[in-house]
Amino acid sequence: MSRRSNYLLGAAISVVASITVPHTVLAQDGAGPAANSAALAGEGQIVVLGTRRADRTVTDSASPVDVIGAQDLVGQPSADMVDAVKNVVPSFFVGQNTISDASTFVRSASLRGLPGDQVLVMINGKRFNRSSLVQVYAGGDTALSFGSQGPDISSIPSLAIANLQVLREGATAQYGSDAIAGVLNFQLRSKPGFEMQARYGQYYDNGGDGQSYQVSGNYGVDFGSRGFINLTGEYNDNKQTSRGVQVPSAVYFADKNPTLTDRLPNYPDPVQNWGSSPSHGYKLMLNAAYDVTDWAQLYVFGNYANSKGDQSFQYRPVSDWEMERDNGTDIALGGGSANSVFRHPIYLTPCPTGNASCPEGGFVKDGNVYNFSTLYPAGFTPRFVGETTEIYGTVGAKGEIDQLTWDLSGTWARHKLDLSMYSSMAPSYGPSSQTEFEFGQLSQTETNANLDLTYPLEVGLASPLTLSAGAEYRNETYKATEGDLQSYGVGPYGAQSLYVETSPGGFAYDSSVTMFSGASGYAGTSPQAAGKYSQNSYGGYVGIEGDLTENLSFGAAGRYEHYDTFGDATVGKVNAIYHLSPEFAIRASYGTGFHAPSPGQNNVQVLTTAFIGGNQVQTGTYPVTSAAAQYFGAKSLSPEKATNFGIGFVIDPGNGFTLTADAYSIKVNNRIGLSQSFDVTADDVAAEPILAAVGAGGAVQYFTNGFDTKTVGVDVVASYKTYLAGGPLNFTLAYNYNKSRVTDYDPNVVGKTQLIDIQYLAPNHRANLSANWQLGDFTFNVRESYYGEWRNSNDYPIREGNLANGAIIDGQHFGEKFLTDIDVSYRFMDRYTLTVGANNVFNTYPDKIMATVNNPVYTATGSLANGSVYPRSGGPFGINGGMWYVRLGVKYRSVELPSQFVM
C-alpha cells in the first residue's frame, strides 16, 4: 500500500477514534447549520427506498441506504448528473468516453461492477425510462455495460433534487425488473423559495480548455397548506478538451507536404481529439401536488431535456507513412497505410454498351478517374453529432382512507437520439458522395401504470405489521428510423470490375477494386434495420414488514411478472435488522431478481467503423433473429437471473458518530451482453450474402446470454459531527471494495479481454474522505478521493512474451491515484453565496499508455498511432486533469401565493 494509501487509512482511523477522545476546544453546545456531507444528509432522515414503511431511517433500516444531500450534487462543477453521482458514490463507475461512437452521447454507468440496465432509476419513487441507446460500442469505454440499455440520468438537473437515495442491494421483488445491483431514487424539491446559480470553470491544461458555463434556477411556491409547485431550469455549454497529441501520420504528412499542412483537419490543433466532446443543452423539471380532499392528493412531475454533442472521430490519412516506434521490445520503423478510400481512384468510364469483352456493369481502367484526395487533400476526420431528447411525465393520485394508503399513477416517457455526421464521405458513391449525413433516429418509449397499497395491521407485536401490495403494467417500444440513402447504401462504385482496352473496341479483364458501403465512420439505419418493436408486461407484488420485538425488525416481499416476449418470472426477498443494543445492530438480506431483455437488445442493428492496428474495420451488430447473427451461432435471449445476499452492521452511539458496514454477494446467471467479434472472411460472405455489409475483413457481434458472474464486495460509510472554533465540522468516509468474476461462460462467444475487464476495469478499491466546516459566513469543503489500481485488456492487451501471436494474458495495469477537491464559499447580504473551488487540485492524470506489440508508441510524438497518450476511456476519473471554477448563487427561502389564488 502506498504512502498516500496509508495517509487515507490513518485519516479515517482518526475520524473514528475521535469519538472517544475528549475535545476541550471542539465540544460545544448548540446546533449549527446543516452540513453538506452525503452521509449526514441521511442521518435521522426518513428513507422511502427499500421499505414500504414510513418510519425507517438510514440507521434503523434493514436495507443499506445512502442519502445524498442536495448540496453534494449541486456543489459538483459538472452539469452532468452522471459525473455528479460518480464523484460521491464510490461504487458508481462511468468512463469519460472520449471517442466511443454514440456511447459518447449516452454514457452508461455501472453500479457495483454491474451494467447500467441492472440498476433501477426512479424519480419520486416512480420508474425512470431507459435510454434509446443500446451500448454496442466495443471498447474499454463501455466494457462494464457492454450490451446494456440503461437510463440516461444526464437529463436530470441537479438543482431540482432534494436528495438522492441509493439502495445498495437487490430489490426486484419490490420494484420489478432491473433492480439487481441496486436502486437510485431522485427525490424532487417541493419547498417554496427561489434560487439561482451561475457557474464558470475551465481546466488547467492546454491553455485552459474545456470552458464550462452553467446557469440554473429553481422556483417553488406553496398553495397555502394544500399544495405546491416547483420548477427547475438549467442551461449548460461545455467546450472540448484535448489531451492527445498530433497523430504520427499527420506529422509525417506535414513534413512531406508543407504546402498542404494547413489543410489538415482542425489545423493547427491535432487532427483528432482525445478528450471531452463539446456539448450544450438545457433541462427542465416540474414537481407539483395539491390536496383535493383531506384524504386524496393529486400530483404531477416531469422532466424535459435536450443536449447536443459534437464528437471527433479518428483521422483518415491520405498517404502511407512511417516513423520510429517502440513496441515494448525493440525500437524500429513502423507506420501505416493510407485510408482505403485513398488507395485507388474511382474509375468513371463505364463499359461500352453491348460490348461482350467489357460487360455491362464493368468499368474501363483509363485516365478518367476521381480521387478523394481532391475532396480531402490532407485526409479527413469525420465529426459525429448526437442530439438527445428526454421527455418524462408522471401523473397520479394518492391518499389515505382508514389507514389504507393508496397511490395510483401513470407514467409516459420517451428518450430520443438523433445521429448525424459531417466532414465525412460515402466512398461507394464516388464524386456524388455527400459529406454530411443523417443516420436516423433511435427512440425508446415507455408507458407504466402502477397501483401501490399499504395497510398497518395491529397483531400485538412491537409495531403494527405493514402489509403492502401492488400491481404494474408496462409497455416499452424501441424504434429505429431510416437514415439517408448514402449513409447506409452501396453506391455505383462499391465494387468495380476493371477492363483495359487492348485494341480498338476490344477489352480484357484487369482487376477488381472495392469501396465500402455507407458513410465513413458510422452507418445509417437501412430500411431492413429500421422498425418498431414492443414488449408488454404486467405484474404484482405483496409484502409484509414490522417489528417482531423491540429489537428485531423484518421484511418480506414477493413479485410475479409476465412478459409477452419470454414468459413469467417470480422473485422474492427477505431482510431483517436486530439491535443488540441501542448503539449496535446487525442486518441481513436475501433476494432473487431478474432483468428482462429489452426490445432494443433483441432488435438493434448497427454498423460502425473501428480501427484495429491502424486499419479500418467495419463491425456489424445484428439481432439474434438475423441470418448474420445465426450464421455465427446466435440464440434467442432469455432473462438474466440474480441472487443477492447481504450482511452488515450499524453503529450509532448517539454522540455524532455513525458507522455502517455491509458485505454483499451478487450472482447473475445468463448475463446478457455482446459476443466477442467474429472475423468475416470472403468465404463467409459467399455463404451468407447479408455479411456483404461488413465485408471480408469486417467483424460481426450479437447479443447473447453468454456468461455467469459473481460479484462480492463491502461498503463502509462513516460520519462524525463535532465543532471547531464554534462552527460545525463534519467528516464522512465512504469506502467500497467490489470485485466481479466470470464463473461460467461460452468460450465461443466470450473472449479473454471480456473476462479480464469484467474483473478489473473498475478499481476494486474506491474511497472518499470528506470534511465540511462552517464558520460564520464561510464554508470549507475538502474531499480526498482514492482510486485503486485498474486494468484495461480490451484497448491495451498484454500478450504472452509481448509477441504479436502471443495469447492475451492480461491488460495494462494503471496505478492507484488520489484526487483532492477543495472549495470555499462565502455568504453575504444574507442570500448571496460566492464559491471558488478546484477539482483535482494537484492535476493528477492516469498512467500513460504503455508501449506493447499491440500498441506501439511512436517516439517522435510519445503517442500511439492515433495520437492518444492516456487511456481512451478516461479510466475512473478521466484524462482532463485539474479544473477550477467559480459559482455565484442567490437564494430566497419562502414564496407563497396570495390567498385569492388558493382553492
Side-chain angles (χ1 to χ4, degrees):
M1 185 175 289
S2 71
R3 181 178 297 176
R4 294 195 73 185
S5 300
N6 290 326
Y7 163 76
L8 180 64
L9 180 60
I13 294 172
S14 297
V15 172
V16 175
S18 62
I19 66 169
T20 62
V21 178
H23 290 275
T24 306
V25 176
L26 304 183
Q28 300 182 29
D29 294 330
N36 292 343
S37 94
L40 294 173
E43 188 173 326
Q45 182 170 331
I46 298 298
V47 296
V48 297
L49 199 58
T51 179
R52 304 288 178 181
R53 297 178 66 172
D55 59 352
R56 298 289 89 180
T57 65
V58 168
T59 54
D60 65 11
S61 170
S63 298
V65 179
D66 293 330
V67 181
I68 311 299
Q71 187 57 38
D72 285 284
L73 301 175
V74 174
Q76 299 295 322
S78 173
D80 194 330
M81 182 63 75
V82 175
D83 291 318
V85 175
K86 178 188 71 172
N87 288 340
V88 296
V89 178
S91 59
F92 189 87
F93 174 88
V94 65
Q96 184 176 341
N97 294 20
T98 52
I99 301 179
S100 52
D101 292 351
S103 295
T104 293
F105 310 125
V106 181
R107 295 186 295 156
S108 185
S110 168
L111 185 69
R112 291 179 161 185
L114 297 175
D117 58 3
Q118 292 184 13
V119 182
L120 179 63
V121 175
M122 308 172 84
I123 296 181
N124 280 355
K126 306 299 180 183
R127 178 183 289 263
F128 192 60
N129 57 291
R130 306 182 198 277
S131 77
S132 54
L133 182 67
V134 183
Q135 300 287 339
V136 299
Y137 177 74
D141 315 64
T142 60
L144 292 183
S145 287
F146 193 38
S148 71
Q149 188 183 2
D152 180 12
I153 65 173
S154 67
S155 69
I156 301 173
S158 58
L159 199 60
I161 305 305
N163 65 65
L164 166 61
Q165 299 193 6
V166 183
L167 176 62
R168 293 185 277 105
E169 69 178 16
T172 307
Q174 294 161 295
Y175 302 115
S177 174
D178 305 344
I180 292 176
V183 182
L184 306 180
N185 181 38
F186 293 89
Q187 290 290 116
L188 301 181
R189 292 173 66 165
S190 60
K191 292 183 178 180
F194 172 76
E195 182 175 2
M196 281 201 70
Q197 293 195 358
R199 175 184 58 81
Y200 171 81
Q202 66 180 53
Y203 288 92
Y204 298 175
D205 292 333
N206 197 27
D209 66 1
Q211 298 91 343
S212 174
Y213 308 84
Q214 182 182 14
V215 179
S216 56
N218 176 269
Y219 178 76
V221 61
D222 280 343
F223 297 100
S225 61
R226 302 291 295 272
F228 68 89
I229 183 170
N230 192 280
L231 296 167
T232 304
E234 177 188 301
Y235 174 80
N236 62 83
D237 188 348
N238 305 289
K239 308 305 181 184
Q240 77 175 18
T241 62
S242 179
R243 297 298 178 267
V245 297
Q246 187 63 285
V247 303
S249 59
V251 173
Y252 181 89
F253 177 85
D255 181 60
K256 301 297 183 183
N257 303 275
T259 60
L260 292 175
T261 299
D262 61 354
R263 302 294 299 273
L264 286 167
N266 305 324
Y267 180 82
D269 295 325
V271 292
Q272 71 182 65
N273 183 62
W274 292 105
S276 298
S277 299
S279 65
H280 63 273
Y282 59 90
K283 310 171 189 179
L284 303 172
M285 186 71 81
L286 163 70
N287 187 30
Y290 191 80
D291 296 334
V292 291
T293 69
D294 292 338
W295 52 268
Q297 179 188 80
L298 297 179
Y299 61 86
V300 58
F301 52 90
N303 176 216
Y304 183 88
N306 178 271
S307 179
K308 191 171 185 177
D310 185 341
Q311 176 188 176
S312 165
F313 266 20
Q314 303 217 34
Y315 171 64
R316 278 73 167 151
V318 70
S319 59
D320 296 348
W321 60 278
E322 64 177 8
M323 269 188 168
E324 184 182 79
R325 59 93 183 115
D326 177 5
N327 71 358
T329 299
D330 57 53
I331 296 177
L333 279 180
S337 301
N339 186 268
S340 61
V341 302
F342 299 113
R343 293 175 192 168
H344 62 79
I346 298 289
Y347 295 90
L348 301 177
T349 305
C351 284
T353 302
N355 190 311
S357 63
C358 191
E360 183 179 359
F363 291 85
V364 178
K365 188 176 182 181
D366 58 14
N368 182 24
V369 298
Y370 175 78
N371 287 289
F372 281 111
S373 58
T374 61
L375 178 63
Y376 296 119
F380 67 105
T381 302
R383 299 290 303 196
F384 193 38
V385 178
E387 183 174 3
T388 61
T389 303
E390 170 68 35
I391 309 171
Y392 173 92
T394 294
V395 295
K398 63 182 179 181
E400 181 177 337
I401 304 174
D402 294 332
Q403 296 185 291
L404 173 70
T405 69
W406 55 276
D407 187 341
L408 179 64
S409 66
T411 298
W412 185 89
R414 174 173 291 165
H415 185 278
K416 299 185 294 184
L417 176 59
D418 290 277
L419 298 172
S420 60
M421 183 173 285
Y422 64 97
S423 297
S424 185
M425 67 168 71
S428 68
Y429 285 86
S432 300
S433 170
Q434 301 169 196
T435 59
E436 299 182 6
F437 304 90
E438 297 290 336
F439 293 130
Q441 182 186 90
L442 305 176
S443 67
Q444 170 78 10
T445 304
E446 298 182 19
T447 303
N448 299 334
N450 294 87
L451 173 64
D452 298 295
L453 306 168
T454 70
Y455 184 78
L457 182 65
E458 186 61 67
V459 293
L461 298 175
S463 77
L465 294 178
T466 299
L467 306 180
S468 59
E472 180 178 33
Y473 166 79
R474 188 162 70 251
N475 169 271
E476 55 179 301
T477 300
Y478 174 80
K479 183 179 180 181
T481 64
E482 185 178 338
D484 293 344
L485 172 62
Q486 287 196 15
S487 72
Y488 62 82
V490 180
Y493 308 107
Q496 292 189 282
S497 296
L498 303 179
Y499 297 82
V500 294
E501 189 170 19
T502 56
S503 62
F507 295 85
Y509 174 77
D510 179 81
S511 58
S512 294
V513 293
T514 60
M515 288 287 183
F516 59 82
S517 62
S520 177
Y522 200 83
T525 303
S526 68
Q528 294 76 27
K532 184 177 180 180
Y533 312 94
S534 294
Q535 177 174 272
N536 293 286
S537 67
Y538 60 83
Y541 71 89
V542 293
I544 184 171
E545 300 175 70
D547 299 334
L548 297 179
T549 69
E550 291 292 334
N551 297 325
L552 177 61
S553 301
F554 85 104
R559 189 180 194 95
Y560 167 82
E561 291 196 11
H562 175 80
Y563 289 77
D564 63 0
T565 51
F566 68 82
D568 304 333
T570 303
V571 293
K573 176 181 176 179
V574 293
N575 61 10
I577 183 169
Y578 181 69
H579 290 269
L580 295 170
S581 70
E583 298 82 17
F584 183 77
I586 57 175
R587 58 189 179 191
S589 66
Y590 175 82
T592 56
F594 72 96
H595 163 70
S598 70
Q601 289 173 314
N602 270 314
N603 296 283
V604 67
Q605 181 171 324
V606 64
L607 187 66
T608 60
T609 302
F611 284 81
I612 300 175
N615 296 312
Q616 182 172 305
V617 176
Q618 299 289 95
T619 300
T621 301
Y622 289 95
V624 293
T625 54
S626 71
Q630 291 181 354
Y631 178 83
F632 288 103
K635 300 177 182 178
S636 298
L637 294 178
S638 60
E640 299 172 316
K641 298 181 179 180
T643 303
N644 287 262
F645 174 73
I647 187 168
F649 64 83
V650 180
I651 297 176
D652 184 8
N655 60 352
F657 174 77
T658 61
L659 172 68
T660 65
D662 295 276
Y664 56 86
S665 171
I666 309 169
K667 295 181 180 179
V668 185
N669 294 332
N670 299 324
R671 280 277 299 268
I672 297 173
L674 279 166
S675 69
Q676 63 177 314
S677 296
F678 295 92
D679 295 332
V680 177
T681 66
D683 290 341
D684 295 327
V685 175
E688 181 48 72
I690 196 174
L691 294 174
V694 295
V700 165
Q701 58 188 15
Y702 54 83
F703 282 87
T704 178
N705 294 100
F707 57 104
D708 303 338
T709 61
K710 181 179 181 180
T711 301
V712 295
V714 177
D715 287 310
V716 178
V717 179
S719 65
Y720 178 55
K721 298 191 298 184
T722 185
Y723 284 85
L724 175 64
L729 175 63
N730 307 298
F731 295 98
T732 303
L733 171 69
Y735 166 79
N736 172 253
Y737 168 77
N738 189 90
K739 191 171 186 178
S740 297
R741 63 183 179 89
V742 176
T743 57
D744 190 23
Y745 67 99
D746 182 349
N748 293 317
V749 297
V750 177
K752 180 66 173 179
T753 60
Q754 290 171 278
L755 300 179
I756 296 170
D757 287 346
I758 285 172
Q759 191 165 357
Y760 296 113
L761 185 67
N764 296 145
H765 297 272
R766 186 64 180 88
N768 290 333
L769 176 62
S770 60
N772 168 265
W773 181 38
Q774 296 184 20
L775 184 64
D777 291 326
F778 287 91
T779 301
F780 305 87
N781 285 295
V782 179
R783 180 174 65 239
E784 188 77 3
S785 298
Y786 171 72
Y787 301 88
E789 179 189 277
W790 57 283
R791 308 178 196 178
N792 184 336
S793 177
N794 188 300
D795 299 322
Y796 313 109
I798 303 297
R799 293 185 178 273
E800 189 172 13
N802 196 33
L803 298 174
N805 59 355
I808 294 176
I809 57 174
D810 204 349
Q812 180 177 343
H813 292 222
F814 294 88
E816 63 179 10
K817 302 291 180 182
F818 285 82
L819 271 65
T820 304
D821 303 332
I822 298 175
D823 68 72
V824 179
S825 297
Y826 175 66
R827 188 178 64 183
F828 59 98
M829 297 175 62
D830 187 48
R831 54 181 62 97
Y832 295 92
T833 302
L834 177 66
T835 301
V836 177
N839 272 22
N840 192 0
V841 172
F842 301 110
N843 204 25
T844 300
Y845 280 81
D847 296 345
K848 292 183 177 181
I849 301 167
M850 180 176 65
T852 64
V853 67
N854 268 72
N855 291 289
V857 172
Y858 288 82
T859 56
T861 61
S863 72
L864 304 189
N866 59 22
S868 61
V869 176
Y870 299 101
R872 60 180 299 154
S873 70
F877 57 86
I879 61 172
N880 285 334
M883 75 168 297
W884 64 266
Y885 62 93
V886 60
R887 181 191 299 111
L888 179 64
V890 58
K891 188 172 185 178
Y892 292 81
R893 290 181 173 80
S894 181
V895 179
E896 184 173 321
L897 283 182
S899 58
Q900 62 264 34
F901 293 103
V902 180
M903 298 173 58

